[in-house]
Amino acid sequence: MPMKPRRIFLQKAGLSAFALSLPVFNSVSAMTAFSNSAGREDKPLRVAIMGLGSYGTRVADAMQTCKRAKLVGVISGTPSKIETWKTKYGIPAKNCYNYQNYSQIKNNPDIDAVYVTTPNALHKENVIGVANAGKHAICEKPLSINAADAEEMVKVCKAANVQLLVGYRMHFEPKTLEVIRMRAAGEFGKVLFFQGLSGFIIGDPTQWRLNPVLSGGGAMMDIGVYSINGARYMIGEEPIWVTAQEVKTDPIKFKEGIDETITFQMGFPGGAVASCLSTYALNNLDKFYLDGTKGFAEMQPSTGYGPIKAKTHKGEIDIPHVTHQTVQMDEMAAIILDGKKPIVPVDGIEGWKDMKIVDAIFEAVKTGKKVMLT
Ligand code: NAD
């Protein structure tokens, strides 16, 4: 099918239809923004990835087509993985570290930031290690395994004068941003309901995701956080209370400290309620639904690697798919290097806010009571 001229322009300019449709953008400012960023391409954000597992590899592959971010280093406890990455991604030996010596990264002027993609419970120690080495930290979700740890991570990074960003790739996904733009513009009227469904059937019972010492929890830490975070950016408010209920059908696979299925509800100051499900026991659960007095948005899939599908009462949202991690890393480079303000924040405080909600959900499950968040 021949491409529409507007789409060709958008792709060439590296801009989404959303960016162009924002009130603050007119065609002149959009083009200026583009030409400025093109002009700065000689100064990329030079990133080392810590934890060369499945997601670290996905980020590394996506970074190969980045314009502003560049993969230049690794931190790994497995020498054979370092050798593979050196060859596959052209990483110089001088930018390779292990967990015993990575504090030395502070003496390496060729690395600006470290992207932490290790198991959840290691994020705190790893991010603090990166901050103490004077490098910016990008940390995968969940930022930590509880709010107290998240707070400490935010404070340590601030004191070290480095930025802390959370790998919330959906905050840069064009269809998600278009729904957020429509909601902010009042196109759905008064938003009163959000539904977030996040689930998949988890396999191998020996994996770290089912070991509470490394995961800090089960489905909630892994994918429930998408519904929590999604409710916040789709509704555009911070929740003031939560209630939650847990169901466990397999207490052997989902041992103490590993939640299998949790349903939870959040109340928002404007009167909206969110009704969410987080589970490791069902597939086909990746859906957001937002309803207001004038219209709705439905996204399914809503947080997978894409293509994301989104429709509203006005019809299908037709914006080309982008590789989430490529756009995320280019945008994070602009945030760190140029002080660019993202439309939906991705700093450590955002991750901390989500962890406060996770804590409240676990407390509500335990006590059976409504937990206030303010
Ligand atoms: P993984 O098991 O594939 O990779 C984890 C890596 O950490 C491995 O290379 C492992 O060797 C390393 N590691 C370092 N120290 C370790 C230790 N003490 N024990 C175990 N492993 C150790 O896991 P993954 O799927 O890549 O997930 C890593 C992180 O990325 C998690 O926090 C997860 O929530 C997040 N993640 C995010 C997304 C997303 O879409 N944003 C998707 C998948 C995973």
Side-chain angles (χ1 to χ4, degrees):
M1 200 175 70
M3 257 196 227
K4 293 176 191 152
R6 177 174 156 83
R7 183 174 297 178
I8 295 170
F9 164 75
L10 291 173
Q11 285 183 346
K12 279 194 181 153
L15 291 165
S16 68
F18 172 75
L20 288 181
S21 61
L22 267 179
V24 291
F25 274 84
N26 55 38
S27 56
V28 176
S29 61
M31 285 310 292
T32 311
F34 169 60
S35 56
N36 282 350
S37 93
R40 291 196 197 102
E41 272 166 30
D42 54 336
K43 193 186 179 244
L45 181 77
R46 298 158 307 170
V47 179
I49 293 184
M50 174 189 283
L52 312 184
S54 136
Y55 198 66
T57 304
R58 184 175 288 274
V59 171
D61 288 343
M63 284 183 72
Q64 301 311 303
T65 49
C66 275
K67 294 188 176 73
R68 291 295 311 274
K70 190 169 188 302
L71 173 64
V72 298
V74 292
I75 299 154
S76 169
T78 314
S80 60
K81 281 193 203 165
I82 295 182
E83 286 313 307
T84 307
W85 280 52
K86 273 162 74 177
T87 313
K88 188 173 169 195
Y89 301 113
I91 292 166
K94 70 174 185 58
N95 289 353
C96 297
Y97 297 86
N98 58 41
Y99 292 99
Q100 283 69 49
N101 68 13
Y102 81 90
S103 63
Q104 292 311 313
I105 214 164
K106 66 173 177 283
N107 302 318
N108 189 332
D110 300 328
I111 294 175
D112 304 308
V114 176
Y115 196 150
V116 173
T117 60
T118 53
N120 310 340
L122 306 176
H123 292 176
K124 176 185 165 187
E125 172 192 330
N126 295 156
V127 164
I128 289 176
V130 169
N132 287 338
K135 303 296 176 183
H136 301 294
I138 301 169
C139 181
E140 250 324 303
K141 46 58 52 180
L143 177 57
S144 58
I145 55 168
N146 56 55
D149 286 358
E151 178 176 12
E152 192 179 334
M153 292 158 81
V154 167
K155 288 185 172 163
V156 168
C157 288
K158 190 165 184 234
N161 204 22
V162 297
Q163 295 201 42
L164 170 59
L165 305 182
V166 188
Y168 286 138
R169 60 189 160 77
M170 301 315 297
H171 293 203
F172 305 103
E173 196 281 320
K175 290 174 194 165
T176 304
L177 290 176
E178 173 59 9
V179 172
I180 292 169
R181 185 202 64 75
M182 288 177 72
R183 185 261 301 146
E187 292 182 34
F188 305 128
K190 187 172 167 57
V191 168
L192 289 174
F193 181 70
F194 170 81
Q195 182 188 40
L197 305 178
S198 305
F200 70 95
I201 297 177
I202 195 155
D204 178 11
T206 66
Q207 64 185 287
W208 68 259
R209 281 182 167 79
L210 296 174
N211 172 357
V213 176
L214 287 171
S215 63
M220 182 59 62
M221 287 289 172
D222 196 15
I223 45 173
V225 288
Y226 283 106
S227 278
I228 294 172
N229 190 249
R232 293 177 51 232
Y233 64 66
M234 295 282 278
I235 294 173
E237 294 177 11
E238 299 302 329
I240 49 178
W241 57 258
V242 304
T243 48
Q245 309 77 33
E246 180 170 14
V247 174
K248 205 174 264 204
T249 63
D250 185 347
I252 294 171
K253 188 169 184 183
F254 305 107
K255 52 184 121 16
E256 180 70 29
I258 297 290
D259 50 284
E260 174 192 318
T261 301
I262 293 181
T263 50
F264 59 100
Q265 303 77 37
M266 294 181 273
F268 291 79
V273 286
S275 173
C276 304
L277 174 70
S278 154
T279 184
Y280 267 159
L282 276 173
N283 281 333
N284 312 311
L285 286 174
D286 181 9
K287 181 177 171 181
F288 285 174
Y289 183 77
L290 188 73
D291 205 11
T293 50
K294 289 190 194 157
F296 71 91
E298 183 178 281
M299 308 184 67
Q300 187 176 21
S302 54
T303 63
Y305 299 135
I308 299 301
K309 282 188 128 189
K311 69 175 179 198
T312 73
H313 56 293
K314 293 183 175 170
E316 191 93 15
I317 296 180
D318 179 23
I319 303 175
H321 171 67
V322 294
T323 301
H324 298 177
Q325 296 81 3
T326 307
V327 176
Q328 172 202 328
M329 292 309 291
D330 274 339
E331 288 296 311
M332 286 188 166
I335 291 167
I336 291 174
L337 296 176
D338 313 337
K340 183 173 177 181
K341 296 270 173 262
I343 292 155
V344 187
V346 282
D347 53 85
I349 290 171
E350 289 301 301
W352 178 12
K353 284 179 183 169
D354 285 334
M355 295 318 300
K356 283 185 197 169
I357 299 169
V358 170
D359 281 0
I361 288 170
F362 286 145
E363 192 189 330
V365 163
K366 208 158 79 186
T367 61
K369 298 209 168 106
K370 181 189 260 191
V371 176
M372 301 309 291
L373 285 160
T374 47

